[in-house]
Amino acid sequence: MLFRRNVESEKRTSYSLSDEEILKIFNIDADGVSEDKLKQATYFSCFRILTDSISKLPLKMYQENKEGIEKANDHYLYNLLKLRPNPYMSSSDFWKMIEFQRLDKGHSIVYIDTIKRGRNAGKIKGLYPLEMNKVEVWIDNAGIIGKDNAIWYIYKQDKNTEFKFKSDQVLHFKGMTRDGITGLSIKDYLKTTIENAQSGEKYVNNYFKNGLQATGLLQYTGNISKEDENRMRERFEKMANGLKNAHRILPVPTPFSFQPITPSMVDSQFLEINELSIRQIASGFGIKPHQLGNLDRSTHTNIVEQNKEFYIDTLQPILTMYEQELTWKLLLQNELEQGYFFRFNVDSILRSDIRTRYEAYQIGVQSGFLSINEVRDKENLSSKEEGNQLICNGNMIPVSMAGEQYKKNNTQNE
């Protein structure tokens, strides 16, 4: 074996009789709950909110120099990442897929396609996300390749085709991580909570399918064969269950009697338990209640604050991880030294109402630290001549000159 350690293979080394893989071999359904966690409404909503939030943020390239920070829109990577990372995906679709895989699998890997020959050798042509089901992460602990602890990515396109990528040939975006190399999937840690929510949805679904009718106990005095028992059960279920039988009279022949035994949703505190599962799933993703349509304790003021908290507590660490990986892997050493870097524009999230923005702009311009063109750029307006000049209120003077006007007035009076 070439490598001593396969990160993916270390996830599971032993099996028990309760393990899902063992149950699959014998075609045993442990709990009747779908393994596809995305079928759970809250889990799917959290995926949608995070993927949409990331994909709507424009990614831009900047350069920091002695004069400050400015857009590097003359760099060839600027439009590549802003508009179309590869011929088949827009920037929005690209980031939706990346974020989806990062949440679902714990990490997402993107192949960096570069020009191999000619004077443009090394120049990036496109970025292609890999299917995480076909990727394995290997660590060369022994230094067999020639570099200690080198990380390799093995992509198995099919049974006969396999690609090996070095660490600098891919972008590796992670979620939570224990070792800094591979990410942890949210669904593995929220498995029990998600399955509880799935069970609740399945209960409600069956409740409606049965026409909101409760199951019960069919009583009979006397002996009855197993065959007759099954026949009577099927007959009563056919008469009582289903939406078409809702609120209809159920004829019970003599000597049978029917007694409901299923508790109501209120008796079993179903709504409270289901609400708890929703909050726990949302909390695991860092999603705020109002984003899931829960407005019980929400007002206009605290929703604005919750949006800011969502950016600071949830999105900012994700965006920082993306920005650092892009900057380190896509830029050359001399470009890093020249101050180039990538950054997502989060103005669309933090953007206040128009009155609040204009009042803030007015303070910035009058205080002399914002120019007219900087304000117009934030509002997606074209620049104006002499708009880069800083202006301020004429009554303002340096602190060192405080009191000079009084000295001048006293001299004139004398």
Side-chain angles (χ1 to χ4, degrees):
M1 181 178 291
L2 181 61
F3 301 103
R4 291 183 179 177
R5 179 184 176 197
N6 180 346
V7 176
E8 294 295 327
S9 65
E10 289 187 352
K11 289 185 177 179
R12 178 165 295 165
T13 57
S14 62
Y15 297 91
S16 67
L17 292 177
S18 61
D19 192 271
E20 290 183 3
E21 297 299 325
I22 296 296
L23 296 176
K24 287 180 183 178
I25 295 176
F26 295 99
N27 294 322
I28 299 174
D29 187 3
D31 51 15
V33 177
S34 170
E35 295 178 5
D36 187 358
K37 305 296 188 295
L38 279 174
K39 292 182 179 179
Q40 204 285 318
T42 304
Y43 189 76
F44 175 82
S45 297
C46 292
F47 262 65
R48 180 189 58 79
I49 292 170
L50 282 174
T51 54
D52 287 351
S53 297
I54 298 294
S55 65
K56 74 181 180 182
L57 299 178
L59 177 64
K60 297 183 179 181
M61 190 175 182
Y62 297 89
Q63 184 181 18
E64 184 177 9
N65 50 40
K66 295 180 180 180
E67 298 179 355
I69 297 176
E70 57 185 16
K71 293 180 184 178
N73 49 17
D74 56 343
H75 197 285
Y76 81 98
L77 286 176
Y78 186 90
N79 286 328
L80 179 71
L81 289 172
K82 180 183 177 182
L83 301 177
R84 211 162 190 85
N86 62 66
Y88 311 104
M89 297 179 185
S90 66
S91 180
S92 176
D93 294 334
F94 176 84
W95 287 111
K96 276 186 180 180
M97 180 178 179
I98 296 302
E99 180 64 10
F100 183 94
Q101 289 198 138
R102 191 190 68 84
L103 293 171
D104 188 50
K105 304 298 182 182
H107 51 174
S108 184
I109 298 173
V110 179
Y111 169 61
I112 305 173
D113 185 23
T114 59
I115 299 175
K116 302 299 185 295
R117 299 180 181 85
R119 63 177 183 177
N120 291 324
K123 190 174 182 180
I124 298 172
K125 295 191 297 182
L127 304 175
Y128 296 87
L130 303 180
E131 294 182 59
M132 293 305 299
N133 292 330
K134 300 179 180 180
V135 178
E136 292 181 355
V137 182
W138 294 75
I139 299 178
D140 181 15
N141 294 29
I144 298 176
I145 302 298
K147 184 178 180 181
D148 294 339
N149 296 323
I151 301 175
W152 292 78
Y153 300 85
I154 314 301
Y155 179 66
K156 298 180 180 179
Q157 187 172 1
D158 51 50
K159 293 182 179 179
N160 301 320
T161 307
E162 183 177 282
F163 299 93
K164 296 181 179 67
F165 302 120
K166 297 180 181 178
S167 177
D168 57 0
Q169 292 179 301
V170 298
L171 297 169
H172 191 180
F173 304 116
K174 312 175 190 70
M176 288 193 302
T177 177
R178 286 181 300 200
D179 55 11
I181 297 174
T182 57
L184 304 175
S185 174
I186 293 179
K187 64 184 178 183
D188 293 337
Y189 283 83
L190 296 180
K191 178 180 178 180
T192 302
T193 304
I194 297 170
E195 289 181 348
N196 289 343
Q198 281 184 309
S199 298
E201 290 182 354
K202 184 177 180 181
Y203 174 81
V204 174
N205 187 34
N206 290 334
Y207 193 58
F208 276 94
K209 282 184 177 180
N210 291 332
L212 307 181
Q213 302 298 311
T215 58
L217 180 64
L218 185 63
Q219 295 180 340
Y220 173 76
T221 303
N223 296 326
I224 186 172
S225 66
K226 189 68 175 179
E227 183 179 350
D228 291 338
E229 178 183 330
N230 293 334
R231 188 183 302 114
M232 289 303 302
R233 181 188 297 110
E234 292 175 0
R235 178 182 175 186
F236 270 89
E237 288 178 350
K238 184 177 181 181
M239 289 189 299
N241 293 345
L243 293 175
K244 65 179 181 180
N245 293 319
H247 307 295
R248 297 183 65 182
I249 298 174
L250 175 64
V252 181
T254 307
F256 293 94
S257 62
F258 180 79
Q259 179 182 356
I261 60 174
T262 301
S264 66
M265 292 184 182
V266 176
D267 295 335
S268 62
Q269 293 184 318
F270 173 82
L271 298 178
E272 290 82 356
I273 295 174
N274 196 47
E275 183 66 25
L276 176 62
S277 297
I278 292 175
R279 290 200 303 269
Q280 289 175 331
I281 294 174
S283 177
F285 281 92
I287 302 298
K288 304 303 177 183
H290 77 276
Q291 294 176 291
L292 295 174
N294 186 352
L295 303 177
D296 292 343
R297 300 179 181 178
S298 298
T299 64
H300 174 73
T301 302
N302 66 20
I303 284 181
V304 174
E305 293 302 318
Q306 286 183 64
N307 283 336
K308 293 181 180 179
E309 290 178 4
F310 173 67
Y311 164 68
I312 296 173
D313 299 334
T314 304
L315 283 188
Q316 190 171 14
I318 300 173
L319 297 178
T320 300
M321 177 269 303
Y322 281 137
E323 292 165 354
Q324 291 177 349
E325 183 74 359
L326 290 168
T327 300
W328 182 254
K329 294 284 187 71
L330 299 186
L331 298 180
L332 301 175
Q333 183 62 36
N334 65 329
E335 292 175 329
L336 293 174
E337 294 173 357
Q338 292 172 14
Y340 287 98
F341 64 93
F342 293 98
R343 180 173 294 173
F344 285 92
N345 188 348
V346 297
D347 288 345
S348 59
I349 297 178
L350 303 178
R351 202 177 184 88
S352 305
D353 62 273
I354 189 169
R355 179 175 180 178
T356 303
R357 296 202 311 273
Y358 282 18
E359 289 176 349
Y361 294 152
Q362 183 179 14
I363 295 174
V365 171
Q366 291 182 352
S367 300
F369 65 85
L370 276 180
S371 68
I372 297 296
N373 282 342
E374 287 174 329
V375 171
R376 295 181 65 86
D377 181 64
K378 290 180 179 294
E379 293 296 320
N380 296 319
L381 298 174
S382 60
S383 59
K384 297 295 182 181
E385 293 184 7
E386 300 183 357
N388 292 325
Q389 184 178 0
L390 295 175
I391 60 176
C392 66
N393 194 318
N395 294 325
M396 299 175 65
I397 60 174
V399 175
S400 59
M401 295 180 61
E404 292 293 331
Q405 64 273 30
Y406 299 108
K407 295 179 181 179
K408 184 175 180 180
N409 291 335
N410 291 335
T411 302
Q412 290 178 349
N413 292 332
E414 292 175 358

